Amino acid sequence: MHAAVLGSPVAHSLSPALHTAAYAALGLHDWSYERCECDEAGLPRFVAGLDREWAGLSLTMPLKRVALEVADEVSPLATATGAANTLVLRDGRWSAHNTDVAGLVALAALVAPVVQPERGVGGGVQGRRER
């Protein structure tokens, strides 16, 4: 099974390392994940050229809006945000999703108890150490 991150530029993306490690940890030894340079004009052609050996695509800028146009189905969240960062291929149909929002919400939940702007990192008063 194949997957990739697409964008322009995309050479800096750490997604291949992260996905490859996850696939190995999950025992998905026949899965691959690569980087593909792709601009907005090239996305429809790129997606149309993929076969059922592809699981999906991660999308970075500038592809998040045009992804909505190439998908057969668009999730409500992707519609509401006007952007998709994930295209999933199932039964020959592409569905567009936005996982950025869930990631930001999860990050906010992790950071909120630690960082309080009025009190500084760790909840202590800025400029003073708590004892």
Side-chain angles (χ1 to χ4, degrees):
M1 199 57 72
H2 305 288
V5 58
L6 278 64
S8 185
V10 76
H12 67 282
S13 177
L14 298 178
S15 291
L18 298 171
H19 283 253
T20 299
Y23 296 162
L26 294 169
L28 300 174
H29 303 294
D30 57 342
W31 281 56
S32 66
Y33 192 95
E34 59 192 82
R35 269 183 215 98
C36 298
E37 185 77 22
C38 183
D39 61 14
E40 289 176 291
L43 185 63
R45 184 175 50 255
F46 187 95
V47 170
L50 300 180
D51 61 22
R52 292 180 184 262
E53 290 296 312
W54 284 80
L57 302 169
S58 302
L59 306 170
T60 189
M61 294 306 292
L63 304 176
K64 294 184 179 195
R65 284 184 302 270
V66 72
L68 303 176
E69 298 169 16
V70 301
D72 300 301
E73 301 166 7
V74 178
S75 74
L77 186 56
T79 298
T81 59
N85 68 330
T86 305
L87 286 173
V88 177
L89 181 61
R90 279 203 189 103
D91 300 323
R93 295 179 55 81
W94 288 98
S95 59
H97 304 273
N98 184 313
T99 62
D100 288 336
V101 172
L104 290 171
V105 169
L107 178 62
L110 291 172
V111 172
V114 177
V115 177
Q116 300 172 7
E118 70 280 0
R119 295 185 55 89
V121 175
V125 176
Q126 273 184 273
R128 293 182 39 196
R129 291 177 56 191
E130 287 193 31
R131 296 180 194 257

